Amino acid sequence: MITEKQPLHGDPDLMSQTSAERDNGSPAQYQLNNDHLQRAAFLAKSLSDGNRLRILLLISDGKKSVSTIVEKLELSQPLVSHHLKELKRSLMVKVERDGPFIYYELADARILDVVRILSQVATDLLSERTTF
Amino acid sequence: MITEKQPLHGDPDLMSQTSAERDNGSPAQYQLNNDHLQRAAFLAKSLSDGNRLRILLLISDGKKSVSTIVEKLELSQPLVSHHLKELKRSLMVKVERDGPFIYYELADARILDVVRILSQVATDLLSERTTF
DNA sequence: TCAACTTATAAATGAATATTTATATACTGG
DNA sequence: CCAGTATATAAATATTCATTTATAAGTTGA
């Protein structure tokens, strides 16, 4: 069997989509086909943790070492490493070594744009809900 | 009656953040404080599943009944209901009843903007990575 | 009321994930 | 090489989550 219908969660990577199986009839309403959606979902998963967003925000104005992130965010060092690994897996950060230090930097400024929009939308949705 | 459901255990809500505890020294670099990041993370979690993105895309050009979503996306009805519940929890969909049919509609067009940006960023990050 | 249809919920299962604690690996100066 | 520092990884745990199967609940027309 080659193609399963459900996108199984095996050991996913950003590039683990091989399909372009069927277009389901719907003419890619907004230029978004299923592969596009899967990739977007993959990035969204990386953005779905508050501590990772704090890390992304912190490294958005220039590279920071792991120890700097640990100090500024008051998180344990293994936890920061764990989250950085996830962010690296989704290609959201660039990594650079300088001696014993390893510097992480936001890979694409649009990622922070997305976070800002999400924050604004969340605020608006909440106010719409509570305004009546 | 319409939108209020009894929580099973104590499931979180978009508004479960009450803090504004500390600003951690960092001066809200981009107008984003910790609460903003938590709310953004909450929405991102709703966007982190491919099937939910498929649903959001489908209902982005007008309300659709559950059965329509089931047919077009070829997902089981309980699975669609489950995802719609999650989308409702994050306030991303508006719900409207008409007889036996229940129609779901995208609550805010910017949500689809976010999906598009994420898709584009993912594509770009992949090409940057594989181009060398 | 009954029967058919539409949608929601419950229970079960397996996989993913965030966090902690403990340990390993890698780099540098002496 | 050694000691110290910086970072990563392993193991363990508890929680969350996507999916399936089965069943309930709400709506409408007869």
Side-chain angles (χ1 to χ4, degrees), chain A residues 5 15 24 29-30 34 36-37 44 47 50 53-54 61 72 91 110 112 116 119 124 126 129, chain B residues 13 24 29-30 34 36-38 44 47 53-54 61 72 74 110 112 116 119 124-126 129:
Chain A
K5 198 168 74 167
M15 47 183 67
N24 200 18
Q29 209 155 346
Y30 276 111
N34 278 358
H36 292 145
L37 294 182
L47 298 178
L53 293 191
R54 297 211 291 148
D61 69 333
K72 296 243 186 189
L91 307 180
R110 288 172 294 178
L112 208 58
R116 287 197 208 91
S119 166
D124 293 348
L126 273 179
R129 187 200 203 190
Chain B
D13 210 84
N24 203 19
Q29 208 155 346
Y30 276 110
N34 278 359
H36 293 143
L37 294 182
Q38 288 303 122
L47 299 178
L53 294 190
R54 297 211 293 147
D61 69 333
K72 296 243 184 188
E74 296 180 12
R110 287 172 294 179
L112 207 59
R116 287 198 207 90
S119 166
D124 293 348
L125 289 177
L126 274 178
R129 187 201 205 187

Side-chain angles (χ1 to χ4, degrees), chain B residues 20-77:
Chain B
E21 305 166 346
R22 61 156 164 283
D23 262 28
N24 203 19
S26 17
Q29 208 155 346
Y30 276 110
Q31 109 231 8
L32 289 170
N33 65 26
N34 278 359
D35 281 356
H36 293 143
L37 294 182
Q38 288 303 122
R39 290 195 288 255
F42 191 88
L43 288 198
K45 196 171 59 183
S46 264
L47 299 178
S48 68
D49 181 89
N51 282 332
R52 277 198 292 271
L53 294 190
R54 297 211 293 147
I55 292 174
L56 289 175
L57 179 61
L58 181 60
I59 67 178
S60 65
D61 69 333
K63 56 188 179 187
K64 303 279 185 304
S65 70
V66 177
S67 48
T68 299
I69 298 171
V70 166
E71 288 169 17
K72 296 243 184 188
L73 302 187
E74 296 180 12
L75 299 173
S76 77
Q77 181 267 316

Side-chain angles (χ1 to χ4, degrees), chain B residues 64-116:
Chain B
K64 303 279 185 304
S65 70
V66 177
S67 48
T68 299
I69 298 171
V70 166
E71 288 169 17
K72 296 243 184 188
L73 302 187
E74 296 180 12
L75 299 173
S76 77
Q77 181 267 316
L79 183 55
V80 170
S81 266
H82 165 76
H83 285 310
L84 288 171
K85 186 178 184 178
E86 168 66 25
L87 292 172
K88 194 166 57 177
R89 204 164 64 100
S90 61
L91 307 180
M92 282 186 171
V93 295
K94 288 186 294 187
V95 193
E96 180 185 333
R97 169 155 232 152
D98 180 29
F101 297 92
I102 302 185
Y103 292 94
Y104 287 82
E105 179 177 16
L106 189 63
D108 192 305
R110 287 172 294 179
I111 293 168
L112 207 59
D113 293 339
V114 165
V115 176
R116 287 198 207 90

Side-chain angles (χ1 to χ4, degrees), chain A residues 105-121:
Chain A
E105 179 176 17
L106 189 64
D108 193 305
R110 288 172 294 178
I111 293 167
L112 208 58
D113 294 339
V114 165
V115 176
R116 287 197 208 91
I117 297 173
L118 285 178
S119 166
Q120 186 63 58
V121 169

Side-chain angles (χ1 to χ4, degrees), chain A residues 27-63:
Chain A
Q29 209 155 346
Y30 276 111
Q31 107 232 9
L32 289 171
N33 64 27
N34 278 358
D35 281 357
H36 292 145
L37 294 182
Q38 291 303 328
R39 290 195 288 255
F42 192 87
L43 289 198
K45 196 170 60 182
S46 265
L47 298 178
S48 68
D49 180 272
N51 282 332
R52 277 198 292 271
L53 293 191
R54 297 211 291 148
I55 292 174
L56 289 175
L57 179 60
L58 181 60
I59 66 178
S60 66
D61 69 333
K63 55 189 180 188

